[in-house]
Amino acid sequence: DVVIETKEEKNDSVFISTISEVDNDLNDIALLVAGIEVDSSSKNYQFTQSSNWRSYSSMLDKTWGKIKANRLGKMKDWQKQELPDSVTKNRVGIYPFSGPDFLTFYTFFGDAPAYYMFGLEPLGKVPNLQLMSIDSLQLYYEGMEDATEDLLNLTFFRTNWMKTELKKNGIIPIILYFLARTDNEINAVNKYKIDSSGNLSTNPVDSVFNVAHIKFLDSKTKEIKEIYY
C-alpha cells in the first residue's frame, strides 16, 4: 500500500499541496530523455547501457554544462536582485508565447506554486521507450538533441524552428528534460482538451488534446507543483 501525506495551505487563493509521492516510471523516463542515468534497479536501466544513449547523454551533459556556465548563474543573480520573494512568493506564473521554455520560467519564478504556459506547438507525449526499436530510439534522441540546440546557441527558441522541430516529439518531453535537469521529480503527466465552456475534458469526442498538465515534486520546497501548457 502507498501512503500519501498531504498538506494544503491557502495563500492568495492558491492551494499548495505537499505530497511525497513520485511516479517512478515517469521520473525514470524524464531522467533518460534528459540524458541522466537511472538507478540500476529500474526496468529502464537497460537503455542507459546502449552506445546510442551514452552518446546522447554525453552530448546533453556538455550542452547543460554550457547553459549552467554561461546563463543560469547570471539569470539567478538577476532574479535575486530584481525578483525578490515579496514579488514572486506564492504567485501563479503566466508565460505567454513560451513554447517549451520552462527553464527560464522556473529559474526566474522558482517560488510559483503553478506555471501556465501558452504556445501553438504540439503537445507530443511521454515516450514509451519499451515499445521503440533501436532505430526509433536513435531518431528520438536526435530529435531531443535538435530541440536543445537553439537553447544553447541562441538562448531562446525560434518560432520558425519550433514549427518544424517540435513536430517530431512535441513539448512534453522537453519540459520533462528541464524538470529532470533542475533536479525535480515527476508526479503525473496528463492531457486534456478545453471545451466550449472552458472546462478541461479528459475524453474529447474528437480525441484532440490541447492542454498538457504536468505535476512535479519541487526539489527545493518539497511541494507538488503544476505546469499547464
Side-chain angles (χ1 to χ4, degrees):
D1 293 339
V2 175
V3 177
I4 302 176
E5 295 183 358
T6 65
K7 178 183 179 183
E8 291 189 337
E9 301 173 358
K10 191 173 183 180
N11 296 288
D12 296 333
S13 299
V14 174
F15 282 99
I16 303 171
S17 178
T18 55
I19 306 177
S20 59
E21 180 73 355
V22 168
D23 187 310
N24 290 326
D25 287 340
L26 279 175
N27 200 60
D28 280 355
I29 291 173
L31 291 171
L32 289 169
V33 299
I36 301 172
E37 190 162 317
V38 299
D39 189 87
S40 59
S41 62
S42 167
K43 69 179 184 181
N44 294 298
Y45 179 72
Q46 58 177 309
F47 295 106
T48 67
Q49 304 306 296
S50 67
S51 58
N52 59 355
W53 185 87
R54 290 192 175 279
S55 175
Y56 169 72
S57 174
S58 177
M59 188 283 299
L60 291 190
D61 281 344
K62 292 177 182 178
T63 299
W64 190 252
K66 291 179 181 179
I67 291 172
K68 288 181 67 175
N70 299 330
R71 293 185 57 203
L72 291 186
K74 296 176 182 178
M75 291 169 66
K76 289 177 180 178
D77 289 343
W78 186 89
Q79 183 270 334
K80 290 177 182 177
Q81 180 176 340
E82 303 295 337
L83 297 171
D85 286 351
S86 59
V87 174
T88 64
K89 191 69 173 178
N90 296 331
R91 294 192 177 183
V92 168
I94 299 176
Y95 186 176
F97 312 110
S98 63
D101 186 20
F102 178 72
L103 179 62
T104 299
F105 206 1
Y106 183 68
T107 301
F108 285 152
F109 299 96
D111 290 329
Y115 301 86
Y116 289 81
M117 304 168 65
F118 301 88
L120 298 176
E121 293 71 41
L123 302 183
K125 60 184 179 180
V126 177
N128 190 334
L129 305 181
Q130 300 284 346
L131 297 181
M132 290 187 184
S133 66
I134 294 176
D135 289 341
S136 295
L137 282 170
Q138 181 60 38
L139 290 173
Y140 195 88
Y141 297 150
E142 290 174 0
M144 286 298 295
E145 289 179 14
D146 292 340
T148 58
E149 184 177 0
D150 269 17
L151 181 64
L152 171 62
N153 294 327
L154 300 176
T155 73
F156 61 89
F157 290 105
R158 291 174 294 170
T159 301
N160 289 336
W161 170 87
M162 288 193 292
K163 288 181 180 178
T164 56
E165 290 301 322
L166 290 185
K167 286 183 179 178
K168 295 179 180 178
N169 298 331
I171 60 93
I172 287 176
I174 298 177
I175 293 177
L176 295 181
Y177 159 78
F178 287 140
L179 285 169
R181 283 284 172 173
T182 49
D183 300 321
N184 297 299
E185 297 179 284
I186 314 304
N187 176 272
V189 179
N190 294 294
K191 294 198 293 187
Y192 303 99
K193 182 172 185 175
I194 302 177
D195 65 22
S196 58
S197 300
N199 300 312
L200 294 178
S201 172
T202 59
N203 188 28
V205 175
D206 58 6
S207 299
V208 176
F209 298 90
N210 55 17
V211 176
H213 178 215
I214 300 173
K215 297 172 71 174
F216 68 96
L217 180 64
D218 190 287
S219 59
K220 299 185 295 295
T221 65
K222 303 306 178 184
E223 296 171 344
I224 289 291
K225 295 186 176 183
E226 299 181 278
I227 302 168
Y228 285 92
Y229 174 90

